[in-house]
Amino acid sequence: RVLFRSMTCRNCGGRVFVDRVFSQKLHVELFCIMCGKRWMINKDTSPLGRWLETVEKEKLKSLAISS
């Protein structure tokens, strides 16, 4: 099931990915593969952050990977 095609960067239009290495309990870090822009979104206060956390958890469950 595909929830979204891709997230795109407002600067360059490149694809944006979740950087799991630098994401932490309180925030998720995103980065653009084209321009290298990085930014953090709070998982508690941001609706996008909460949605991303939900999507990531579902993906991990579907792959049988524990977090």
Side-chain angles (χ1 to χ4, degrees), residues 53-66:
E53 183 176 27
T54 302
V55 170
E56 284 294 302
K57 284 183 179 180
E58 290 299 319
K59 184 174 182 175
L60 292 175
K61 282 181 190 176
S62 72
L63 297 173
I65 300 172
S66 63

Side-chain angles (χ1 to χ4, degrees), residues 8-52:
T8 56
C9 177
R10 289 185 182 173
N11 285 345
C12 69
R15 290 185 68 186
V16 174
F17 291 93
V18 174
D19 190 346
R20 291 184 186 103
V21 173
F22 294 107
S23 295
Q24 297 177 358
K25 202 171 207 173
L26 297 177
H27 70 270
V28 61
E29 184 165 350
L30 305 173
F31 75 97
C32 174
I33 196 167
M34 294 297 287
C35 69
K37 179 182 176 187
R38 293 183 169 270
W39 61 99
M40 293 185 211
I41 298 177
N42 190 312
K43 292 179 183 178
D44 293 332
T45 59
S46 169
L48 176 59
R50 287 192 297 269
W51 180 77
L52 284 171

